[in-house]
Amino acid sequence: MTFATLGLIEPLLRALEALGYQTPTPVQAQAIPAVLAGRDLMAAAQTGTGKTAGFAVPLLQLLTMEGPKVTANSVRALILCPTRELAEQVHASVAEYAEHLPLTTYAVYGGVSINPQMMKLRKGVDILVATPGRLIDLFRQNALKLNQLQTLVLDEADRMLDLGFSEELANIYRMLPKKRQTLLFSATFSDDIRLLAGQMLNDPLSIEVSPRNVAANTVKQWVVPVDKKRKAELFVHLMRKGKWKQVLVFAKTRNGVDALVDKLQGLGINADGIHGDKPQATRQRALDRFKASDVQILVATDVAARGLDIEDLPMVVNFDLPIVAEDYIHRIGRTGRAGNTGEAISLVCADEVNMLSAIEMLTRQTLTRKMEQDFEPEHRVPDTDASGQVVKKPKKPKKPKTSGGGGKRNLGKWVESGEVAAEPSIKPVRKVPVFNTGPRKKK
Ligand code: AMP
């Protein structure tokens, strides 16, 4: 299959060719014809699957071929993203795909001055990429009208709900014209996402591309048990031992990011950090420098790093395990992309055993544990497996009362990682009368 056989117009084919896209990815092969046919879409696909082109390319074609010219302060297509970085990234891709088309594109998000954004919107924009909060601000200040909207894209919808944007989404929903095309992309399909889809989508086509397999098959994953207080030391040790060149490191909190960056910089290591407390320009600069290999270690919280596409990233380190098990899949999905292989290492302390267990249950695999010499934890990480069981006190074999063998510390168990099962199929969308505005799991 080629992009031409999907019915794309020449200027788009030329742009894709220039980007080196030869064949459509599975999500593109399914999404492009459906979007061109005007269908609503509910797609289970995460970053790394080519989903951005999956929605943006046919969207650009529709906007070129159909609909009136954009009027002042209006937008014809709106792409909602959970984070500023993702909004920038999606916009950069859209602008590349639109290179030979007579369409305007723009991205708006918080953390930067609103005035230039208001100015830019005056003439109207064909495709606007936005984070929910800033979109609402612009709308309330009459800088933006949505009556010309033809298509709405919800990108990483699950993450928008995780980040507490459900109220904003409900507000945006009320601002939208009834007649429109809606495309929803989400890595996971929780009940809340289904509620959202039931409200926003009309007879959607479901697409699924088993993203979990995509990530897991190309990413070598393992766990290094360690005491909490020695994590930074272990990280530096592993980094030097493995001669790591470019590593994206995930820490749980903003303070955790800052502490690790300080520590690494103190050791003369070229590290920088991104998290929600930092100004947008600083975040973007750190990210750009990391992508350009000017920064070796980028330490990030989940919020800041979600959805980032960094070419050929060889290694992801979970300095802390994520509280939400789904985030593990997103994190390791930063590496092993586009057919490359990658490594994902998690430094796990005893406190995190329940998170480890949740991750293993979700990904249906028991992660290999590799004990690092001289870093064996004093607080043992209890055994876990894909069944979700945490073995707090492993049964000790009845030992004969002889010398030898006693007194040895349990250095943890080595378990080979199994295959990851495919993501469960998407259940049909439920139509619900009321928009769910509550935070996740609060129903
Ligand atoms: P995405 O999942 O949209 O973030 O895309 C992941 C990466 O795959 C990006 O770097 C895209 O430029 C790249 N990509 C998307 N579609 C294709 C394709 N058909 N062929 C080659 N690379 C692609």
Side-chain angles (χ1 to χ4, degrees), residues 3 16 19-25 27-28 46-55 86 89 93 96-97 307-311 337-338:
F3 283 105
L16 295 177
L19 290 168
Y21 294 12
Q22 283 168 355
T23 35
T25 65
V27 70
Q28 291 162 1
Q46 66 181 59
T47 312
T49 56
K51 70 178 165 69
T52 315
F55 62 74
L86 190 62
Q89 184 176 296
S93 297
E96 282 179 328
Y97 306 143
L308 301 181
D309 180 36
I310 300 161
E311 238 170 89
R337 308 182 73 174

Side-chain angles (χ1 to χ4, degrees), residues 55 59 63 74-81 90 106-108 121 125-132 134-136 138-139 144-146 148-155 160 169 172-173 175-177 180-183 200:
F55 62 74
L59 182 57
L63 293 172
S74 292
V75 297
R76 296 173 63 207
L78 173 64
I79 302 171
L80 285 177
C81 296
V90 167
Y106 190 48
V108 294
L121 287 170
V125 170
D126 288 297
I127 298 196
L128 184 69
V129 187
T131 52
R134 180 52 60 98
L135 183 91
I136 291 173
L138 287 161
F139 186 83
L144 182 71
K145 291 186 286 186
L146 292 174
Q148 252 200 320
L149 190 89
Q150 291 173 221
T151 306
L152 169 73
V153 181
L154 299 163
D155 194 14
M160 287 200 266
L169 291 180
I172 293 168
Y173 174 68
M175 292 155 27
L176 298 171
R180 58 162 202 277
Q181 184 180 28
T182 308
L183 317 173
M200 289 218 174

Side-chain angles (χ1 to χ4, degrees), residues 204-272:
L205 183 77
S206 288
I207 290 180
E208 194 181 359
V209 290
S210 304
R212 290 178 187 179
N213 271 336
V214 173
N217 290 343
T218 53
V219 180
K220 199 172 145 217
Q221 307 161 55
W222 75 91
V223 164
V224 187
V226 62
D227 282 330
K228 195 183 206 161
K229 59 179 190 295
R230 296 196 69 199
K231 278 191 178 186
E233 199 187 334
L234 172 63
F235 176 81
V236 173
H237 164 81
L238 291 173
M239 194 191 118
R240 290 189 169 145
K241 186 173 136 187
K243 299 190 172 52
W244 294 346
K245 293 210 165 54
Q246 194 194 22
V247 192
L248 180 60
V249 185
F250 287 94
K252 199 164 49 191
T253 62
R254 296 163 184 195
N255 287 343
V257 169
D258 289 340
L260 183 59
V261 170
D262 284 351
K263 169 127 193 158
L264 295 175
Q265 288 177 344
L267 291 167
I269 295 165
N270 185 359
D272 206 343

Side-chain angles (χ1 to χ4, degrees), residues 85-360:
E85 281 80 6
L86 190 62
E88 265 299 334
Q89 184 176 296
V90 167
H91 176 251
S93 297
V94 170
E96 282 179 328
Y97 306 143
E99 171 145 31
H100 308 297
L101 296 174
L103 298 172
T104 49
T105 66
Y106 190 48
V108 294
Y109 38 79
V112 293
S113 168
I114 198 168
N115 291 335
Q117 298 179 347
M118 294 170 85
M119 300 271 284
K120 180 80 186 182
L121 287 170
R122 272 192 198 158
K123 282 190 185 159
V125 170
D126 288 297
I127 298 196
L128 184 69
V129 187
T131 52
R134 180 52 60 98
L135 183 91
I136 291 173
D137 285 351
L138 287 161
F139 186 83
R140 293 202 173 133
Q141 300 197 35
N142 295 323
L144 182 71
K145 291 186 286 186
L146 292 174
N147 47 340
Q148 252 200 320
L149 190 89
Q150 291 173 221
T151 306
L152 169 73
V153 181
L154 299 163
D155 194 14
E156 307 217 350
D158 51 346
R159 192 58 175 181
M160 287 200 266
L161 295 188
D162 285 349
L163 292 176
F165 282 133
S166 52
E167 207 163 308
E168 282 84 350
L169 291 180
N171 285 334
I172 293 168
Y173 174 68
R174 285 192 281 273
M175 292 155 27
L176 298 171
K178 290 271 168 301
K179 189 171 171 299
R180 58 162 202 277
Q181 184 180 28
T182 308
L183 317 173
L184 182 147
F185 287 77
S186 190
T188 53
F189 277 85
S190 62
D191 287 348
D192 287 349
I193 289 290
R194 269 176 242 287
L195 282 168
L196 180 73
Q199 185 76 14
M200 289 218 174
L201 303 181
N202 176 23
D203 185 26
L205 183 77
S206 288
I207 290 180
E208 194 181 359
V209 290
S210 304
R212 290 178 187 179
N213 271 336
V214 173
N217 290 343
T218 53
V219 180
K220 199 172 145 217
Q221 307 161 55
W222 75 91
V223 164
V224 187
V226 62
D227 282 330
K228 195 183 206 161
K229 59 179 190 295
R230 296 196 69 199
K231 278 191 178 186
E233 199 187 334
L234 172 63
F235 176 81
V236 173
H237 164 81
L238 291 173
M239 194 191 118
R240 290 189 169 145
K241 186 173 136 187
K243 299 190 172 52
W244 294 346
K245 293 210 165 54
Q246 194 194 22
V247 192
L248 180 60
V249 185
F250 287 94
K252 199 164 49 191
T253 62
R254 296 163 184 195
N255 287 343
V257 169
D258 289 340
L260 183 59
V261 170
D262 284 351
K263 169 127 193 158
L264 295 175
Q265 288 177 344
L267 291 167
I269 295 165
N270 185 359
D272 206 343
I274 52 172
H275 57 62
D277 271 351
K278 297 205 175 203
Q280 183 55 27
T282 314
R283 281 161 68 166
Q284 194 63 45
R285 194 168 53 241
L287 185 62
D288 290 344
R289 293 188 61 223
F290 182 63
K291 283 185 176 182
S293 301
D294 293 339
V295 164
Q296 185 188 0
I297 312 284
L298 185 68
V299 190
T301 54
D302 286 292
V303 172
R306 172 70 188 239
L308 301 181
D309 180 36
I310 300 161
E311 238 170 89
D312 296 333
L313 184 62
M315 165 116 26
V316 166
V317 172
N318 293 311
F319 189 81
D320 302 308
L321 285 184
I323 296 165
V324 181
E326 303 279 2
D327 281 340
Y328 177 82
I329 295 164
H330 300 304
R331 289 177 176 192
I332 70 164
R334 304 305 104 224
T335 179
R337 308 182 73 174
N340 294 321
T341 52
E343 288 178 280
I345 306 169
S346 302
L347 314 187
V348 179
C349 65
D351 288 358
E352 294 173 303
V353 67
N354 289 330
M355 297 173 205
L356 178 61
S357 170
I359 288 164
E360 291 182 334

